[in-house]
Amino acid sequence: MVTSSDDLAALLDWYAALGADCALDEAPQNRFEETQRQLQARQQARIHAQRPQGQVAPSNPAGPAIVSPSRSKPSTPLPNSPSRSQQKATASSMPGGGAAFATSGNAGQLEDAAARAMHAPTLIELRKALAEFDGCSLKFSAKSLVFGDGNPDADVMFIGEAPGRDEDLQGVPFVGRAGQLLDKMMAAIGRDRSNSYITNILPWRPPGNRQPSLDEQAMLRPFIHRHIELVNPKILVFLGGTAAQQLLGSKEGIMRLRGKWNNYAIGSENSTRNIPVMPTLHPAFLLRTPAQKRSAWQDLLEVAAKLDALA
Ligand code: URA
């Protein structure tokens, strides 16, 4: 029981160490209402899954459109749209490379996600496809669809985990404290949002900033895969373990993955392109563990050198 201000401070420190960021919010939060909304979201997702294929749900009225791509690239077929047998497996081959974690969730919804993503010929269409996709309940608890920011013609694309509270409020990725650190990290190698592109593997904030489940990640995987294909950068930087593990299909921790070049495959079976990937530490982790900034700095120097070599 909390009986003194010291106890209260210790309790708040403990919450902060666990990653809670909204114990003290500007407005009171009705957690019962949040649960209710999630239940409704699940119901809507179920109803959507029972609709005949091709019948599209009404679009999400909320959520600012934030990316106006200056170019559109031709549609490339997804190399490996997940088949039913793949979806049922716990680990299966997914677009992009490695054996990614698949979902135990609804196979119809996964097929729907893959079809919507694959058929999006531009970033604007991909954002619309996400807004119309009801197969992930995070959509219904989030305030915004946080799609991407920066220059869609950039040669480097940074991919994080999921929007936090500030990103959800503003509809733009990496604008909170972690985002400010990311901006500084990018600036250290001569990068900013005018010559880089930034997004997340998930476009909706998980409630309370919890880690997205593997099912949620797998459900939205076709969208981030198509996002990468449409931006088609020279280099990818995966920020943190969740993005790196999901997109590389690896169970290795980020401390083992970071600092080593990897590849992410895009395109069709007939014409695949491997994009070099540098997994590095997430800026939110660096805020908590500043001693690791040196490692992230080394990783970014690798990125800068590779960009020079590819220029
Ligand atoms: N953390 C992320 O991974 N992405 C954001 O957009 C913000 C914080």
Side-chain angles (χ1 to χ4, degrees), residues 209-258:
N209 288 2
R210 67 163 167 75
Q211 197 184 15
S213 70
L214 288 179
D215 275 1
E216 288 160 350
Q217 293 178 39
M219 187 62 78
L220 296 166
R221 169 81 184 256
F223 292 100
I224 184 61
H225 178 76
R226 188 71 186 137
H227 209 145
I228 295 170
E229 287 193 320
L230 289 168
V231 175
N232 193 17
K234 287 185 181 158
I235 290 188
L236 286 160
V237 180
F238 295 163
L239 300 165
T242 307
Q245 288 180 335
Q246 175 57 225
L247 293 173
L248 296 175
S250 172
K251 289 191 174 169
E252 295 271 31
I254 188 64
M255 288 308 197
R256 281 182 181 274
L257 290 172
R258 65 145 285 272

Short mmCIF file of all heavy atoms in Angstrom, two decimals, residues 209-258:
data_model
loop_
_atom_site.label_atom_id
_atom_site.label_comp_id
_atom_site.label_asym_id
_atom_site.label_seq_id
_atom_site.Cartn_x
_atom_site.Cartn_y
_atom_site.Cartn_z
N ASN A 209 0.79 1.82 -24.91
CA ASN A 209 2.12 1.56 -25.50
C ASN A 209 2.63 0.15 -25.23
O ASN A 209 3.84 -0.08 -25.19
CB ASN A 209 3.19 2.55 -24.98
CG ASN A 209 2.98 3.92 -25.54
OD1 ASN A 209 2.03 4.15 -26.28
ND2 ASN A 209 3.84 4.83 -25.16
N ARG A 210 1.70 -0.80 -25.03
CA ARG A 210 2.18 -2.17 -24.84
C ARG A 210 2.84 -2.63 -26.13
O ARG A 210 2.63 -2.07 -27.20
CB ARG A 210 1.03 -3.10 -24.46
CG ARG A 210 0.01 -3.30 -25.57
CD ARG A 210 -0.86 -4.52 -25.31
NE ARG A 210 -2.01 -4.56 -26.18
CZ ARG A 210 -1.99 -4.87 -27.46
NH1 ARG A 210 -0.83 -5.16 -28.07
NH2 ARG A 210 -3.09 -4.89 -28.18
N GLN A 211 3.64 -3.71 -26.00
CA GLN A 211 4.28 -4.25 -27.21
C GLN A 211 3.21 -4.89 -28.09
O GLN A 211 2.33 -5.59 -27.57
CB GLN A 211 5.32 -5.29 -26.81
CG GLN A 211 6.26 -5.56 -27.97
CD GLN A 211 7.26 -6.64 -27.68
OE1 GLN A 211 7.11 -7.41 -26.73
NE2 GLN A 211 8.28 -6.73 -28.50
N PRO A 212 3.24 -4.63 -29.40
CA PRO A 212 2.26 -5.28 -30.26
C PRO A 212 2.42 -6.80 -30.24
O PRO A 212 3.55 -7.30 -30.21
CB PRO A 212 2.55 -4.72 -31.65
CG PRO A 212 3.88 -4.06 -31.56
CD PRO A 212 4.16 -3.74 -30.13
N SER A 213 1.29 -7.51 -30.23
CA SER A 213 1.36 -8.97 -30.20
C SER A 213 1.88 -9.48 -31.56
O SER A 213 1.82 -8.78 -32.57
CB SER A 213 -0.02 -9.58 -29.94
OG SER A 213 -0.83 -9.37 -31.08
N LEU A 214 2.35 -10.74 -31.57
CA LEU A 214 2.82 -11.32 -32.84
C LEU A 214 1.68 -11.42 -33.84
O LEU A 214 1.88 -11.26 -35.04
CB LEU A 214 3.44 -12.70 -32.58
CG LEU A 214 4.80 -12.69 -31.89
CD1 LEU A 214 5.30 -14.11 -31.67
CD2 LEU A 214 5.83 -11.89 -32.69
N ASP A 215 0.46 -11.68 -33.34
CA ASP A 215 -0.70 -11.73 -34.25
C ASP A 215 -0.93 -10.38 -34.91
O ASP A 215 -1.18 -10.29 -36.12
CB ASP A 215 -1.96 -12.13 -33.48
CG ASP A 215 -2.07 -13.65 -33.35
OD1 ASP A 215 -1.16 -14.35 -33.84
OD2 ASP A 215 -3.06 -14.12 -32.78
N GLU A 216 -0.85 -9.32 -34.12
CA GLU A 216 -1.06 -7.97 -34.68
C GLU A 216 0.04 -7.66 -35.70
O GLU A 216 -0.22 -7.13 -36.78
CB GLU A 216 -1.05 -6.93 -33.56
CG GLU A 216 -2.30 -6.98 -32.70
CD GLU A 216 -2.12 -6.33 -31.33
OE1 GLU A 216 -0.99 -5.98 -30.93
OE2 GLU A 216 -3.14 -6.19 -30.63
N GLN A 217 1.26 -8.02 -35.33
CA GLN A 217 2.38 -7.75 -36.25
C GLN A 217 2.21 -8.51 -37.56
O GLN A 217 2.41 -7.97 -38.65
CB GLN A 217 3.70 -8.17 -35.60
CG GLN A 217 4.10 -7.35 -34.40
CD GLN A 217 5.39 -7.87 -33.79
OE1 GLN A 217 6.32 -8.28 -34.48
NE2 GLN A 217 5.45 -7.88 -32.47
N ALA A 218 1.82 -9.79 -37.44
CA ALA A 218 1.69 -10.62 -38.65
C ALA A 218 0.53 -10.13 -39.52
O ALA A 218 0.63 -10.13 -40.75
CB ALA A 218 1.49 -12.07 -38.27
N MET A 219 -0.55 -9.70 -38.88
CA MET A 219 -1.72 -9.23 -39.63
C MET A 219 -1.37 -8.00 -40.48
O MET A 219 -1.87 -7.80 -41.58
CB MET A 219 -2.85 -8.90 -38.64
CG MET A 219 -4.16 -8.56 -39.26
SD MET A 219 -4.84 -9.92 -40.22
CE MET A 219 -5.50 -10.98 -38.94
N LEU A 220 -0.49 -7.15 -39.94
CA LEU A 220 -0.17 -5.91 -40.64
C LEU A 220 1.10 -6.02 -41.48
O LEU A 220 1.49 -5.07 -42.16
CB LEU A 220 -0.07 -4.76 -39.62
CG LEU A 220 -1.42 -4.51 -38.92
CD1 LEU A 220 -1.26 -3.65 -37.70
CD2 LEU A 220 -2.43 -3.89 -39.89
N ARG A 221 1.71 -7.18 -41.43
CA ARG A 221 2.97 -7.38 -42.16
C ARG A 221 2.85 -7.10 -43.66
O ARG A 221 3.75 -6.47 -44.26
CB ARG A 221 3.46 -8.81 -41.89
CG ARG A 221 4.60 -9.29 -42.75
CD ARG A 221 5.94 -8.78 -42.23
NE ARG A 221 6.99 -9.19 -43.15
CZ ARG A 221 7.84 -10.18 -42.94
NH1 ARG A 221 7.77 -10.85 -41.82
NH2 ARG A 221 8.76 -10.47 -43.83
N PRO A 222 1.77 -7.55 -44.34
CA PRO A 222 1.70 -7.26 -45.78
C PRO A 222 1.73 -5.76 -46.08
O PRO A 222 2.24 -5.35 -47.13
CB PRO A 222 0.34 -7.85 -46.20
CG PRO A 222 0.02 -8.87 -45.16
CD PRO A 222 0.61 -8.35 -43.88
N PHE A 223 1.20 -4.95 -45.16
CA PHE A 223 1.16 -3.50 -45.42
C PHE A 223 2.56 -2.89 -45.31
O PHE A 223 2.93 -2.06 -46.15
CB PHE A 223 0.20 -2.82 -44.44
CG PHE A 223 -1.24 -3.18 -44.68
CD1 PHE A 223 -1.87 -4.15 -43.91
CD2 PHE A 223 -1.96 -2.57 -45.70
CE1 PHE A 223 -3.20 -4.50 -44.15
CE2 PHE A 223 -3.29 -2.91 -45.95
CZ PHE A 223 -3.90 -3.88 -45.16
N ILE A 224 3.33 -3.29 -44.30
CA ILE A 224 4.67 -2.70 -44.18
C ILE A 224 5.55 -3.24 -45.32
O ILE A 224 6.39 -2.51 -45.86
CB ILE A 224 5.30 -2.93 -42.78
CG1 ILE A 224 6.65 -2.22 -42.66
CG2 ILE A 224 5.45 -4.38 -42.41
CD1 ILE A 224 6.60 -0.73 -42.83
N HIS A 225 5.30 -4.48 -45.72
CA HIS A 225 6.07 -5.02 -46.86
C HIS A 225 5.82 -4.18 -48.12
O HIS A 225 6.75 -3.77 -48.82
CB HIS A 225 5.69 -6.48 -47.10
CG HIS A 225 6.42 -7.07 -48.27
ND1 HIS A 225 7.73 -7.46 -48.22
CD2 HIS A 225 6.00 -7.30 -49.56
CE1 HIS A 225 8.11 -7.91 -49.42
NE2 HIS A 225 7.08 -7.82 -50.24
N ARG A 226 4.54 -3.91 -48.38
CA ARG A 226 4.20 -3.11 -49.57
C ARG A 226 4.73 -1.68 -49.43
O ARG A 226 5.17 -1.06 -50.41
CB ARG A 226 2.68 -3.11 -49.75
CG ARG A 226 2.22 -2.49 -51.03
CD ARG A 226 2.55 -3.37 -52.23
NE ARG A 226 2.22 -2.69 -53.48
CZ ARG A 226 3.01 -2.69 -54.54
NH1 ARG A 226 4.14 -3.35 -54.54
NH2 ARG A 226 2.64 -2.05 -55.63
N HIS A 227 4.69 -1.17 -48.19
CA HIS A 227 5.20 0.17 -47.91
C HIS A 227 6.69 0.25 -48.33
O HIS A 227 7.11 1.20 -48.98
CB HIS A 227 5.06 0.42 -46.40
CG HIS A 227 4.86 1.86 -46.00
ND1 HIS A 227 4.08 2.24 -44.95
CD2 HIS A 227 5.37 3.00 -46.49
CE1 HIS A 227 4.12 3.55 -44.83
NE2 HIS A 227 4.90 4.03 -45.74
N ILE A 228 7.43 -0.78 -47.96
CA ILE A 228 8.87 -0.81 -48.32
C ILE A 228 9.02 -0.89 -49.84
O ILE A 228 9.83 -0.18 -50.44
CB ILE A 228 9.58 -2.00 -47.63
CG1 ILE A 228 9.56 -1.82 -46.11
CG2 ILE A 228 11.01 -2.16 -48.14
CD1 ILE A 228 10.02 -3.05 -45.32
N GLU A 229 8.18 -1.73 -50.46
CA GLU A 229 8.28 -1.85 -51.93
C GLU A 229 8.01 -0.52 -52.61
O GLU A 229 8.66 -0.17 -53.59
CB GLU A 229 7.29 -2.90 -52.44
CG GLU A 229 7.70 -4.32 -52.12
CD GLU A 229 6.89 -5.34 -52.90
OE1 GLU A 229 5.68 -5.15 -53.06
OE2 GLU A 229 7.49 -6.35 -53.32
N LEU A 230 7.01 0.20 -52.11
CA LEU A 230 6.63 1.45 -52.78
C LEU A 230 7.66 2.56 -52.55
O LEU A 230 7.90 3.37 -53.44
CB LEU A 230 5.23 1.90 -52.31
CG LEU A 230 4.09 1.02 -52.84
CD1 LEU A 230 2.79 1.33 -52.13
CD2 LEU A 230 3.92 1.17 -54.34
N VAL A 231 8.25 2.61 -51.37
CA VAL A 231 9.30 3.61 -51.13
C VAL A 231 10.58 3.18 -51.85
O VAL A 231 11.32 3.99 -52.40
CB VAL A 231 9.54 3.82 -49.62
CG1 VAL A 231 10.72 4.75 -49.38
CG2 VAL A 231 8.28 4.40 -48.96
N ASN A 232 10.82 1.87 -51.85
CA ASN A 232 11.95 1.30 -52.59
C ASN A 232 13.28 2.00 -52.28
O ASN A 232 13.96 2.48 -53.19
CB ASN A 232 11.63 1.36 -54.10
CG ASN A 232 12.58 0.51 -54.91
OD1 ASN A 232 13.27 -0.35 -54.36
ND2 ASN A 232 12.67 0.77 -56.20
N PRO A 233 13.65 2.05 -50.99
CA PRO A 233 14.88 2.78 -50.63
C PRO A 233 16.13 1.97 -50.97
O PRO A 233 16.05 0.77 -51.22
CB PRO A 233 14.74 2.92 -49.11
CG PRO A 233 14.00 1.69 -48.71
CD PRO A 233 13.05 1.37 -49.83
N LYS A 234 17.28 2.64 -50.92
CA LYS A 234 18.54 1.92 -51.13
C LYS A 234 18.92 1.16 -49.86
O LYS A 234 19.59 0.13 -49.92
CB LYS A 234 19.66 2.90 -51.48
CG LYS A 234 19.54 3.47 -52.88
CD LYS A 234 20.76 4.34 -53.19
CE LYS A 234 20.63 4.94 -54.57
NZ LYS A 234 21.45 6.14 -54.73
N ILE A 235 18.55 1.72 -48.71
CA ILE A 235 18.94 1.12 -47.43
C ILE A 235 17.77 1.19 -46.45
O ILE A 235 17.02 2.19 -46.42
CB ILE A 235 20.14 1.89 -46.83
CG1 ILE A 235 21.38 1.61 -47.67
CG2 ILE A 235 20.39 1.50 -45.38
CD1 ILE A 235 22.65 2.14 -47.08
N LEU A 236 17.62 0.14 -45.68
CA LEU A 236 16.62 0.12 -44.61
C LEU A 236 17.33 0.14 -43.26
O LEU A 236 18.37 -0.51 -43.09
CB LEU A 236 15.79 -1.17 -44.69
CG LEU A 236 14.77 -1.25 -45.82
CD1 LEU A 236 14.40 -2.71 -46.08
CD2 LEU A 236 13.53 -0.44 -45.47
N VAL A 237 16.76 0.88 -42.31
CA VAL A 237 17.27 0.84 -40.94
C VAL A 237 16.11 0.40 -40.05
O VAL A 237 15.06 1.06 -40.02
CB VAL A 237 17.79 2.22 -40.48
CG1 VAL A 237 18.32 2.14 -39.05
CG2 VAL A 237 18.88 2.72 -41.42
N PHE A 238 16.25 -0.75 -39.40
CA PHE A 238 15.20 -1.24 -38.51
C PHE A 238 15.54 -0.79 -37.09
O PHE A 238 16.63 -1.08 -36.57
CB PHE A 238 15.10 -2.77 -38.56
CG PHE A 238 14.65 -3.30 -39.90
CD1 PHE A 238 14.84 -4.64 -40.24
CD2 PHE A 238 14.01 -2.49 -40.82
CE1 PHE A 238 14.42 -5.15 -41.47
CE2 PHE A 238 13.58 -2.98 -42.06
CZ PHE A 238 13.80 -4.31 -42.38
N LEU A 239 14.61 -0.09 -36.48
CA LEU A 239 14.85 0.49 -35.16
C LEU A 239 14.25 -0.39 -34.08
O LEU A 239 13.03 -0.46 -33.93
CB LEU A 239 14.22 1.90 -35.09
CG LEU A 239 14.76 2.90 -36.11
CD1 LEU A 239 13.83 4.11 -36.22
CD2 LEU A 239 16.17 3.36 -35.71
N GLY A 240 15.10 -1.10 -33.37
CA GLY A 240 14.64 -1.90 -32.23
C GLY A 240 14.32 -3.34 -32.58
O GLY A 240 14.17 -3.72 -33.75
N GLY A 241 14.21 -4.13 -31.53
CA GLY A 241 14.04 -5.57 -31.69
C GLY A 241 12.74 -5.97 -32.36
O GLY A 241 12.72 -6.92 -33.15
N THR A 242 11.65 -5.28 -32.06
CA THR A 242 10.36 -5.72 -32.61
C THR A 242 10.36 -5.61 -34.13
O THR A 242 10.00 -6.58 -34.83
CB THR A 242 9.21 -4.89 -32.01
OG1 THR A 242 9.30 -4.95 -30.59
CG2 THR A 242 7.86 -5.41 -32.44
N ALA A 243 10.78 -4.45 -34.66
CA ALA A 243 10.81 -4.29 -36.12
C ALA A 243 11.82 -5.25 -36.73
O ALA A 243 11.54 -5.91 -37.75
CB ALA A 243 11.16 -2.85 -36.47
N ALA A 244 13.00 -5.35 -36.12
CA ALA A 244 14.06 -6.20 -36.70
C ALA A 244 13.64 -7.66 -36.70
O ALA A 244 13.76 -8.35 -37.72
CB ALA A 244 15.36 -6.00 -35.93
N GLN A 245 13.09 -8.13 -35.58
CA GLN A 245 12.72 -9.55 -35.53
C GLN A 245 11.58 -9.86 -36.50
O GLN A 245 11.60 -10.87 -37.19
CB GLN A 245 12.30 -9.92 -34.11
CG GLN A 245 13.46 -9.97 -33.15
CD GLN A 245 13.04 -10.34 -31.74
OE1 GLN A 245 11.89 -10.12 -31.35
NE2 GLN A 245 13.95 -10.88 -30.98
N GLN A 246 10.58 -8.98 -36.52
CA GLN A 246 9.43 -9.25 -37.40
C GLN A 246 9.85 -9.23 -38.87
O GLN A 246 9.51 -10.12 -39.64
CB GLN A 246 8.32 -8.21 -37.14
CG GLN A 246 7.13 -8.30 -38.07
CD GLN A 246 6.44 -9.66 -38.08
OE1 GLN A 246 6.12 -10.19 -39.13
NE2 GLN A 246 6.23 -10.24 -36.90
N LEU A 247 10.60 -8.20 -39.27
CA LEU A 247 10.89 -8.06 -40.70
C LEU A 247 12.02 -8.98 -41.17
O LEU A 247 12.07 -9.33 -42.34
CB LEU A 247 11.20 -6.59 -41.03
CG LEU A 247 9.99 -5.66 -40.86
CD1 LEU A 247 10.39 -4.20 -41.04
CD2 LEU A 247 8.87 -6.01 -41.84
N LEU A 248 12.89 -9.37 -40.25
CA LEU A 248 13.95 -10.31 -40.65
C LEU A 248 13.55 -11.74 -40.35
O LEU A 248 14.28 -12.68 -40.69
CB LEU A 248 15.26 -9.97 -39.92
CG LEU A 248 15.86 -8.60 -40.27
CD1 LEU A 248 17.08 -8.31 -39.40
CD2 LEU A 248 16.24 -8.54 -41.75
N GLY A 249 12.39 -11.93 -39.68
CA GLY A 249 11.97 -13.28 -39.35
C GLY A 249 12.97 -13.95 -38.43
O GLY A 249 13.31 -15.13 -38.60
N SER A 250 13.45 -13.19 -37.46
CA SER A 250 14.49 -13.72 -36.56
C SER A 250 14.01 -13.72 -35.11
O SER A 250 13.21 -12.88 -34.73
CB SER A 250 15.74 -12.83 -36.68
OG SER A 250 16.69 -13.21 -35.71
N LYS A 251 14.53 -14.66 -34.36
CA LYS A 251 14.23 -14.66 -32.93
C LYS A 251 15.40 -14.11 -32.13
O LYS A 251 15.36 -14.06 -30.90
CB LYS A 251 13.89 -16.08 -32.46
CG LYS A 251 12.53 -16.51 -32.99
CD LYS A 251 12.05 -17.78 -32.35
CE LYS A 251 10.63 -18.05 -32.84
NZ LYS A 251 10.14 -19.36 -32.50
N GLU A 252 16.46 -13.73 -32.82
CA GLU A 252 17.63 -13.16 -32.14
C GLU A 252 17.26 -11.82 -31.52
O GLU A 252 16.50 -11.05 -32.11
CB GLU A 252 18.75 -12.89 -33.16
CG GLU A 252 19.32 -14.11 -33.80
CD GLU A 252 20.49 -14.70 -33.00
OE1 GLU A 252 20.47 -14.56 -31.77
OE2 GLU A 252 21.36 -15.29 -33.62
N GLY A 253 17.83 -11.51 -30.37
CA GLY A 253 17.59 -10.21 -29.76
C GLY A 253 18.31 -9.11 -30.53
O GLY A 253 19.24 -9.38 -31.30
N ILE A 254 17.87 -7.88 -30.32
CA ILE A 254 18.45 -6.77 -31.08
C ILE A 254 19.93 -6.59 -30.77
O ILE A 254 20.71 -6.16 -31.62
CB ILE A 254 17.65 -5.45 -30.83
CG1 ILE A 254 18.12 -4.33 -31.76
CG2 ILE A 254 17.74 -5.01 -29.38
CD1 ILE A 254 17.90 -4.58 -33.21
N MET A 255 20.36 -6.98 -29.57
CA MET A 255 21.79 -6.83 -29.24
C MET A 255 22.65 -7.72 -30.14
O MET A 255 23.81 -7.39 -30.39
CB MET A 255 22.04 -7.17 -27.77
CG MET A 255 21.51 -6.11 -26.85
SD MET A 255 22.16 -4.50 -27.38
CE MET A 255 21.87 -3.53 -25.96
N ARG A 256 22.09 -8.82 -30.59
CA ARG A 256 22.85 -9.70 -31.51
C ARG A 256 22.66 -9.25 -32.96
O ARG A 256 23.55 -9.40 -33.79
CB ARG A 256 22.37 -11.14 -31.38
CG ARG A 256 22.96 -11.82 -30.19
CD ARG A 256 22.49 -13.27 -30.15
NE ARG A 256 23.03 -13.92 -28.98
CZ ARG A 256 24.22 -14.48 -28.93
NH1 ARG A 256 24.99 -14.50 -30.00
NH2 ARG A 256 24.65 -15.04 -27.83
N LEU A 257 21.45 -8.75 -33.27
CA LEU A 257 21.16 -8.39 -34.66
C LEU A 257 21.84 -7.08 -35.07
O LEU A 257 22.23 -6.89 -36.22
CB LEU A 257 19.64 -8.25 -34.88
CG LEU A 257 18.83 -9.55 -34.83
CD1 LEU A 257 17.33 -9.23 -34.85
CD2 LEU A 257 19.18 -10.44 -36.02
N ARG A 258 21.96 -6.15 -34.12
CA ARG A 258 22.40 -4.80 -34.45
C ARG A 258 23.85 -4.80 -34.99
O ARG A 258 24.65 -5.67 -34.65
CB ARG A 258 22.29 -3.84 -33.26
CG ARG A 258 23.17 -4.13 -32.07
CD ARG A 258 23.66 -2.86 -31.40
NE ARG A 258 24.69 -2.23 -32.17
CZ ARG A 258 25.99 -2.51 -32.05
NH1 ARG A 258 26.43 -3.41 -31.17
NH2 ARG A 258 26.87 -1.87 -32.81
#
